Amino acid sequence: MEKKNLKGLTKEELYSFFEEIGEKSFRGLQMTKHMYQRGISDFDEMTDFGKKLRDKLKNIAYIEDIKTLRHLISSQKDTEKFLFGLSDGNCLESVIMSYEDHIGPSRLTACISTQVGCLMGCSFCATGKSGFIRNLTAGEIADQIIQMQKIIAPSERRIANVVMMGMGEPMLNYDNVMKAVDIINCAEGIAIGMRHIAISTCGIIPGIKKLAQEGIQVKLAVSLHSPFDEIRSKIMPINKKYPLPELMKALKEYQEITGRRITFEYAMIDGVNDDLKSAEELARILEGFTALINLIPLNNVTEYGKKRSTDEKIEKFKSFMENKGIRTTIRKERGTDINAACGQLRKKVLEEEKNE
Ligand code: SF4
């Protein structure tokens, strides 16, 4: 009999697993706590299971962790980047960022990946440049938080927010992403509230429609990057399949069903989408939405050949949107010394390996 990997099973699935192997279902709750709350993956450390049960588990199951290959801390100490190795030899990236707030200690936001590589090919993105390899399993998605939390545990900081904005397009790995959300949210597991989990999409309409029907309070972020179809298609090829008018219509329906605010991510690219015309059109297409615009100074991806907008232009764009009554923030640039932008570290390591 093939052994079963328990990492990635939800609490309910763990209840069923124990029942199926002839054990009491409450063992599923104990296993949830061991794997997801305490980050334990060795059955011998689960001392509330008797030796007989531990031996039985060893014969039929295992718990697979992702392995930390690199852990880099930015010179500002506000960003940490992780490169994790998977059992099939692939690797993925995750980031944690700290924000000082009024509560005192840093609250941490984890940016996690949902796929190895990405099919979407956005022109400014290092991940998009390296192509798509495979979907991550629910266990591999959730494990990024568990492993990062374990590594930073001595500092007593905690991951409080999760954004699925790392490598990959979450909506194209929908079922595993939803299962991972369940595991991340589970009160006896990682225990991060639904409102503190954000799913970011480049605009996959079927995924947005499905999410609207889930009845869960996760946040939705959409990468927009231009309010004009022609420019957006150049930056994000997916716009040819799901053009802006259709996307905005789907988002309107999403908002009507969920009543939830939508975050619009907008990379500021010099001379491409940072002019007054873009700002005016952006304000127009967002009319009637409860929206937050997050302006992102473009990260430097060598092959893209475009520059970030100047600080002055970014500030001007922000003021324009705010004058139109749309809440707008500017994302702080961080971690440039540790290749913190999506896909950059993985790409660098893969290139180094090729040159060895
Ligand atoms: S920005 Fe996101 S969706 Fe676009 S290629 Fe990169 S990982 Fe994929």
Side-chain angles (χ1 to χ4, degrees):
M1 192 179 110
E2 209 183 310
K3 286 191 185 186
K4 192 177 180 75
N5 180 14
L6 302 186
K7 180 76 65 76
L9 298 186
T10 62
K11 183 175 75 178
E12 286 67 30
E13 287 173 336
L14 286 166
Y15 281 134
S16 306
F17 167 78
F18 278 96
E19 269 173 17
E20 278 160 24
I21 65 166
E23 299 290 334
K24 295 268 190 295
S25 64
F26 76 88
R27 296 292 186 195
L29 181 63
Q30 290 173 306
M31 184 57 86
T32 301
K33 290 183 180 173
H34 283 311
M35 271 198 306
Y36 300 132
Q37 199 176 74
R38 303 180 189 117
I40 297 175
S41 45
D42 181 348
F43 294 128
D44 282 332
E45 287 178 37
M46 302 178 183
T47 47
D48 49 356
F49 293 164
K51 182 159 181 340
K52 218 170 124 204
L53 176 55
R54 295 201 305 261
D55 287 343
K56 183 174 176 180
L57 286 171
K58 279 186 227 170
N59 281 327
I60 57 172
Y62 63 103
I63 298 171
E64 191 167 274
D65 291 343
I66 56 173
K67 306 272 174 303
T68 311
L69 302 178
R70 305 255 173 125
H71 173 204
L72 307 174
I73 303 173
S74 71
S75 50
Q76 302 273 323
K77 307 246 181 299
D78 58 357
T79 307
E80 297 181 38
K81 181 124 198 178
F82 298 79
L83 188 73
F84 290 113
L86 307 173
S87 55
D88 61 0
N90 280 306
C91 56
L92 63 87
E93 290 184 15
S94 322
V95 182
I96 45 177
M97 296 158 282
S98 56
Y99 298 87
E100 287 301 326
D101 63 17
H102 65 281
I103 301 165
S106 295
R107 66 194 159 97
L108 299 180
T109 295
C111 176
I112 61 173
S113 295
T114 53
Q115 297 181 312
V116 182
C118 185
L119 248 184
M120 298 294 96
C122 301
S123 50
F124 54 81
C125 171
T127 300
K129 298 257 175 285
S130 0
F132 172 73
I133 298 178
R134 72 165 171 90
N135 282 331
L136 293 178
T137 64
E140 289 165 340
I141 297 170
D143 207 22
Q144 295 168 59
I145 304 167
I146 298 168
Q147 299 309 324
M148 289 193 288
Q149 185 59 60
K150 267 167 83 174
I151 291 168
I152 61 165
S155 66
E156 290 184 6
R157 294 171 301 157
R158 270 203 72 77
I159 295 171
N161 299 293
V162 174
V163 292
M164 295 192 181
M165 209 178 274
M167 291 165 50
E169 165 52 57
M171 296 298 190
L172 295 183
N173 186 15
Y174 191 89
D175 293 345
N176 287 338
V177 163
M178 282 303 131
K179 210 168 158 194
V181 165
D182 187 336
I183 294 168
I184 294 166
N185 175 246
C186 174
E188 293 89 3
I190 301 173
I192 294 177
M194 282 290 185
R195 288 166 195 227
H196 296 272
I197 302 171
I199 296 177
S200 174
T201 178
C202 64
I204 307 292
I205 292 177
I208 294 167
K209 289 189 170 173
K210 261 196 201 170
L211 185 64
Q213 302 299 333
E214 294 286 348
I216 55 173
Q217 292 185 309
V218 289
K219 290 185 192 160
L220 175 66
V222 179
S223 300
L224 208 60
H225 306 324
S226 172
F228 297 113
D229 253 332
E230 204 183 317
I231 297 172
R232 190 167 189 266
S233 292
K234 279 190 194 149
I235 305 172
M236 311 175 74
I238 192 64
N239 191 65
K240 292 177 194 146
K241 187 164 183 189
Y242 302 116
L244 265 173
E246 286 173 36
L247 174 61
M248 299 314 288
K249 190 168 162 257
L251 291 172
K252 190 94 229 154
E253 283 164 17
Y254 169 88
Q255 195 151 73
E256 278 161 12
I257 295 168
T258 63
R260 302 194 60 74
R261 184 177 77 184
I262 300 170
T263 300
F264 291 91
E265 308 286 346
Y266 196 98
M268 294 296 286
I269 313 170
D270 187 41
V272 174
N273 62 357
D274 58 354
D275 55 343
L276 182 62
K277 240 173 82 190
S278 298
E280 281 170 351
E281 182 62 5
L282 182 59
R284 194 192 66 76
I285 65 169
L286 292 186
E287 245 169 44
F289 275 95
T290 308
L292 168 74
I293 300 175
N294 191 20
L295 300 177
I296 309 164
L298 182 76
N299 263 296
N300 179 33
V301 177
T302 340
E303 301 88 19
Y304 183 40
K306 303 269 186 220
K307 286 190 299 196
R308 80 197 268 296
S309 308
T310 59
D311 288 343
E312 201 191 332
K313 268 193 173 170
I314 299 174
E315 282 296 343
K316 226 168 130 184
F317 204 95
K318 178 178 189 272
S319 307
F320 182 91
M321 300 317 301
E322 284 181 333
N323 285 336
K324 293 281 178 187
I326 307 171
R327 217 185 127 209
T328 306
T329 53
I330 300 173
R331 187 187 293 172
K332 189 181 160 205
E333 286 168 280
R334 42 171 81 234
T336 46
D337 55 331
I338 54 166
N339 304 103
C342 169
Q344 285 183 329
L345 177 62
R346 172 172 166 265
K347 187 165 167 275
K348 188 167 167 257
V349 170
L350 291 178
E351 278 168 5
E352 279 169 13
E353 281 173 2
K354 223 164 57 187
N355 296 334
E356 266 168 17

